[in-house]
Amino acid sequence: MRYLDTIKTPEDLRKLPLDKLPQLCDELRQFIIEQTAKHPGHLGSSLGVVELTVALHYVFNTPDDRLVWDVGHQAYAHKILTGRKEEFATNRCYGGISGFPRREESEYDAFGTGHSSTSISAVLGMAMAAKMEGNDKRNHIAVIGDGAIGGGMAFEAMNQASYRDVNMLLILNDNKISIDQSTGAMSKYLLSITTSPAYNRFKNRMWNLFTFKTNKSNKITNFFSKLGNGMKGYLLGGSNLFQGLGYRYFGPADGHDVISLVKTLRGLKKLPGLKLFHVLTVKGKGLEMAEQHQTAYHAPGKFNPDTGQIIQPDTEGMPPKYQDVFGHTILEIAREDEKVVGITPAMATGCSLTIMDEVFPERVFDVGIAEQHAVTFAAGLAAEGYIPFCNIYSSFLQRGYDQVIHDVALQKLPVIFCIDRAGLVGEDGATHQGAYDLAFLRAVPNLIIASPLNEHELRNMMMTAYHNAQQGGLPFVVRYPRGRGVLVDWRNEPQDLPIGKGRVLREGERVLVLSLGPLGNNVAKALDSLQAENIRPGHVDVRFLKPLDEELLRSLAAQYPVWLTVEDGTEKGGLFSAVAEFLEDNGLQNQLHHIAIPDRFIAQGDIPNIYREVGFDVESVMGKIRGIYD
């Protein structure tokens, strides 16, 4: 029989004998492999925590005990064991379940975690709430992994927790990698713990003699816990970081020995206060190709579940990804100027900064999951005459907003922000849709904000931003979407663009369409088709949201009484708002319509379905324009 088929909730899991858990883990891992092979998602991280997930739900009384997963893409096994096995085929699909924990989806999802390094803060808040309510029975567990412990917010939470008498367990899922290899002192520190022969010999003896496998009293257990923490510092050549932050440290332990994990967690459950359990796991565990190529199998797309071989789509004759155009273009610029540097917060492969890193590794900085630091680090480099290209995903730049304002814009430092994954990104859903950057950046003084229609324009804008920085100009934002562009022949000779100037792509009558960014290509297709219906709007590629080309708009106001803005950003605060403000400020009476991301969170799904939902597809654009003409 398959034990996995008998489990609908963690209560069913807890009925299994302890010695049956290894078989359940094998079944669960195989189920994830089979499902993710057909329905792509975040494979490697979830394979690495199968045993840990089973042990946690086996020992703790979820959902009453609060369990928070950080980062959220390691939670596939958790979803399957908490009533979503039958729905798992819809993971990340349009109308299906989210690829991340989501409070609205299940009572077992104690907290939504699409972005990293948030779990300790959330769990501390929950633990404090329980304490204030007089509930000393509830357990609060944060599982933090994939490099998220290096995020500044994690340390802020750990620092506060050390001053609070709360019942809280932090599980450090240490797989030595986020998407790319982990960087920084924390990664090296954890490596020193896990590779010290003297410490590990001592740990194994202490673990076997005095931890939770005995019937010793809590006083004796606590004594040897403190002794062990002291010896860790001595054997590792310094104090134990986690002990210094007020945590009782346990580990490192084998994260793939489910029976040992259960026994240890049962003991930790009995101990009050702050505890940190350091668990070693292998990202991609159980699929050989995923273990060997952990970055590629973080989210590999479709693959053969038997061999692990990734099924490569046929891209012959297709346009490149915008990310790759960025990567090749920054390398071209860097070859010409040794002052050019690249910065990314843990997304070097995703944003294709690896292309420059292969040639100039000393000028590429992966700062880890630390967007705030990335922005101010770039500002410091700019203050010393360097030209930093700071590449951050749109949804992650939200976490560096204060730094953009205070450290870059206020000081007029010529940092070049290349905002990747701008607009709707698809299957990652509401936590990752790049809907808000146009709105939150447009409000900031001293910023230039541009978005390219295609790959040629992306290269032109990057070159314009570079020359602007050379001359000590204002900070410059270039934002572009996830995925492929529209030009097969994309390697133009980059040209400087006049900053703040749009261009007329098509002359027309009555209606003027103002588009910003690659959505202008759907507009162009819609206008081509509408000609057969004798509908002939004009079309302007705005290019720059800030400064807006007011001279061009004033010159077109009389010719086109009706305007339509089209943007891959939220309807509140972006191009639509900017044009409405322009019309109001200039006393113009042009009728104004818009196509933009509506004022709600957009769930996960494939881009064609999401585009139809919000009106970005060609047919919807045509329908909108027909309605305006009617």
Side-chain angles (χ1 to χ4, degrees), residues 151-198:
M153 189 173 173
F155 286 97
E156 293 169 20
M158 291 178 73
N159 179 59
Q160 188 201 357
S162 67
Y163 293 95
R164 301 292 181 180
D165 181 21
V166 291
N167 185 24
M168 180 172 158
L169 171 62
L170 171 58
I171 297 179
L172 173 56
N173 169 27
D174 182 6
N175 59 15
K176 301 178 178 62
I177 191 170
S178 53
I179 296 177
D180 296 290
Q181 288 296 322
S182 297
T183 63
M186 174 56 74
S187 175
K188 292 181 180 178
Y189 174 73
L190 295 177
L191 187 63
S192 72
I193 292 178
T194 60
T195 58
S196 168

Side-chain angles (χ1 to χ4, degrees), residues 94 430 435-436 570-572 597-603 610 613-614:
Y94 189 74
Y436 311 106
T570 183
E571 64 184 357
K572 306 291 187 182
I597 298 172
D599 189 25
R600 56 183 171 83
F601 292 106
I602 307 300
I610 293 179
E613 176 184 327
V614 302

Side-chain angles (χ1 to χ4, degrees), residues 467-519:
H467 287 144
N468 170 76
Q470 270 191 322
Q471 298 161 16
L474 294 174
F476 203 118
V477 174
V478 182
R479 54 105 65 179
Y480 50 89
R482 179 185 187 183
R484 297 192 179 278
V486 295
L487 301 176
V488 176
D489 184 15
W490 59 274
R491 281 190 182 272
N492 65 322
E493 186 66 34
Q495 304 292 320
D496 278 357
L497 301 176
I499 293 175
K501 294 298 180 181
R503 56 175 175 163
V504 176
L505 297 179
R506 184 191 300 255
E507 296 284 354
E509 56 189 26
R510 188 182 169 196
V511 174
L512 178 65
V513 182
L514 304 163
S515 66
L516 177 66
L519 266 186

